[in-house]
Every structure is written in structure tokens, then in C-alpha cells.
Amino acid sequence: MRDVLFIPFYDGIELVVAADGSAAIGEKEKDVVHAPYDVVSYFAARVAFMEVLSVGAKPHAVVLQNFVHDEAWETLCNGIRRTCQELHIDIPVIGSSETNFPTLQSAVGITVVGTVQTERKRVGITPKDAKFAVIGEPLVGDEVLKRKERMLSLSLFQALLRQTYVYEIVPVGSKGIYYELQQLLQDNGLSSFSCSCSLPLFASSGPATSVLISYDPHMEEEIKKMVKDLFFSIELRL
């Protein structure tokens, strides 16, 4: 199953909920990866938004859980707003901060809530003759900041969403390409005996620095023109 929760709402409309979190990343002394808090929230929001948008949903609100300290709230919100600006989305942010107890490491959770028409969900719509590829490279931790040119940008992500010949888009998370591929195949009643890709199949893709796509084989060259050297084909034996 996708990392998205679908809840029947009314008249063919479903609520869509996706979340992401980070821990030990921030400005505290004991954090494993040191980064400004607006950067931390930007990447956490990026994941949650990508999950919601990739299934065809429209985001309506962001929920922020701030376990850093109360003073970090506005900075964290700035990171979320940056994500919204890049996606050309304007929605409210609500949430809460831990104010009772100090924490030794940073922790942030972000949830995005949206809606989608059931008939327009981009889930389980990949035909048997589709091909598969990864766009962007799996990066995690310091790699995300040091090699950001190898990461799928949000503008490119949105460009892929607009293409009718791209059937499904799945943000790749910490479990890696192979895991997301198996979930995508399962959602479409498909299975493979083997698969190969020039990228590491089991490496974490951190804050969705790459996505898995299924697409019309006849349009492969168009996709390559769009994403350039961020295209990595997946060869399957179905």
C-alpha cells in the first residue's frame, strides 16, 4: 500500500492524509545531522506534499508537530511556506509545540491533509505494458545538502504530474526503490521475477529525493528530454 491514507468522505470524495517526520536532524548539540530548522521542515513538508499530490489529491491544510522548542515554531513554518511557494500552494498551517520538557535532539512531524475524487485517484492505473523508471537519485542525511543537484526538484515533480503518459508517481522513501516498486506492482496486480537498475535498489531516498514512475513506453524519449540525466530505467521480468 502507498504511504497515504484514504478515508471516504462524501459523494465520491475521499480525504487523503500523508505524513513525514525527522529526528536527530537540526540545530541541537546531540543531533546527528546539523541543519537549520527551516531546512528540516522544508524537506519533511516536501515528502508529505509529494505523497498527497502524487495520488491526484488537492492539499488543504498542514499540521506541524514541533518537538524542538517553542522558539523554533516560526522558523519551521518558514520552511513549510517555502515548500508551498515552490508548489504554488497556499494553505494554512496549524499544530503544536512541546513546551513542557526540553529535548536533547530535534524532532519534527508534518502531516498534509487533502481531498481527491475517487474516480481520479492515481493509484492502481498502471497498464501491463507500462515501463518503469526512477527519476532522481536516492540521497539521505548530509548527501541531501551536498548533492542536491541530483535530487528531483519540486518543479520537475509537478511537471511529471502534468503528463498523461506518466501513469503513476511514487515518492521513494527510506525503504528504497525495490520496496516502492513491489508496492506499485502489487497495487496493479503485477509481479516480477527480477528487476535491475543502475541505482542502489535498497538505499534510502531520505526526503523523497527520487520518485518511481510507471509510464507509456512510447513516450520514454519525451520523459528523458524532460528529466535529462536524472532518468534511471528499471528493467523488469514480469
Side-chain angles (χ1 to χ4, degrees), residues 69-107:
H69 48 66
D70 195 36
E71 291 76 14
W73 175 264
E74 192 57 33
T75 303
L76 291 168
C77 285
N78 287 339
I80 296 171
R81 294 187 190 105
R82 176 187 159 198
T83 308
C84 291
Q85 288 171 357
E86 291 186 17
L87 291 169
H88 306 289
I89 292 171
D90 184 14
I91 57 176
V93 179
I94 63 166
S96 66
S97 299
E98 174 55 70
T99 58
N100 293 306
F101 305 102
T103 57
L104 298 179
Q105 291 180 305
S106 303

Side-chain angles (χ1 to χ4, degrees), residues 57-69:
K58 178 182 178 180
H60 294 293
V62 183
V63 182
L64 168 62
Q65 299 293 340
N66 166 27
F67 301 103
V68 180
H69 48 66

Side-chain angles (χ1 to χ4, degrees), residues 14-44:
E14 297 180 41
L15 286 176
V16 180
V17 183
D20 190 61
S22 68
I25 304 174
E27 301 176 14
K28 291 181 181 284
E29 182 180 352
K30 293 185 179 295
D31 284 335
V32 177
V33 176
H34 291 273
Y37 287 126
D38 59 332
V39 173
V40 175
S41 60
Y42 166 81
F43 281 108

Side-chain angles (χ1 to χ4, degrees), residues 56-212:
K58 178 182 178 180
H60 294 293
V62 183
V63 182
L64 168 62
Q65 299 293 340
N66 166 27
F67 301 103
V68 180
H69 48 66
D70 195 36
E71 291 76 14
W73 175 264
E74 192 57 33
T75 303
L76 291 168
C77 285
N78 287 339
I80 296 171
R81 294 187 190 105
R82 176 187 159 198
T83 308
C84 291
Q85 288 171 357
E86 291 186 17
L87 291 169
H88 306 289
I89 292 171
D90 184 14
I91 57 176
V93 179
I94 63 166
S96 66
S97 299
E98 174 55 70
T99 58
N100 293 306
F101 305 102
T103 57
L104 298 179
Q105 291 180 305
S106 303
V108 173
I110 291 178
T111 301
V112 174
V113 181
T115 57
V116 66
Q117 293 181 17
T118 301
E119 63 182 20
R120 300 188 66 178
K121 286 166 60 175
R122 294 181 71 165
V123 177
I125 59 171
T126 297
K128 291 183 178 180
D129 65 345
K131 292 189 69 175
F132 301 84
V134 176
I135 312 300
E137 295 187 20
L139 306 171
V140 69
D142 287 327
E143 292 179 322
V144 176
L145 301 178
K146 294 177 180 178
R147 302 180 60 209
K148 56 185 178 181
E149 75 282 354
R150 305 305 301 161
M151 174 178 65
L152 173 76
S153 68
L154 289 176
S155 60
L156 184 52
F157 168 72
Q158 285 192 306
L160 289 169
L161 282 175
R162 290 192 291 267
Q163 310 311 315
T164 57
Y165 50 78
V166 176
Y167 302 125
E168 293 186 63
I169 302 177
V170 181
V172 180
S174 59
K175 294 180 181 178
I177 296 166
Y178 183 82
Y179 173 83
E180 303 293 0
L181 176 61
Q182 297 308 308
Q183 300 305 302
L184 178 58
L185 292 174
Q186 180 179 321
D187 286 346
N188 287 279
L190 303 172
S191 61
S192 66
F193 293 104
S194 64
C195 66
S196 61
C197 180
S198 60
L199 293 172
L201 291 173
F202 298 95
S204 171
S205 191
T209 59
S210 63
V211 295
L212 170 67

Side-chain angles (χ1 to χ4, degrees), residues 125-133 163-168 190 213-225 231 233-236 238:
I125 59 171
T126 297
K128 291 183 178 180
D129 65 345
K131 292 189 69 175
F132 301 84
Q163 310 311 315
T164 57
Y165 50 78
V166 176
Y167 302 125
E168 293 186 63
L190 303 172
I213 66 169
S214 60
Y215 62 93
D216 183 340
H218 299 99
M219 303 303 293
E220 182 169 296
E221 291 307 313
E222 290 300 315
I223 296 173
K224 287 181 176 179
K225 289 179 185 177
F231 183 94
S233 178
I234 295 179
E235 300 300 327
L236 294 181
L238 295 176

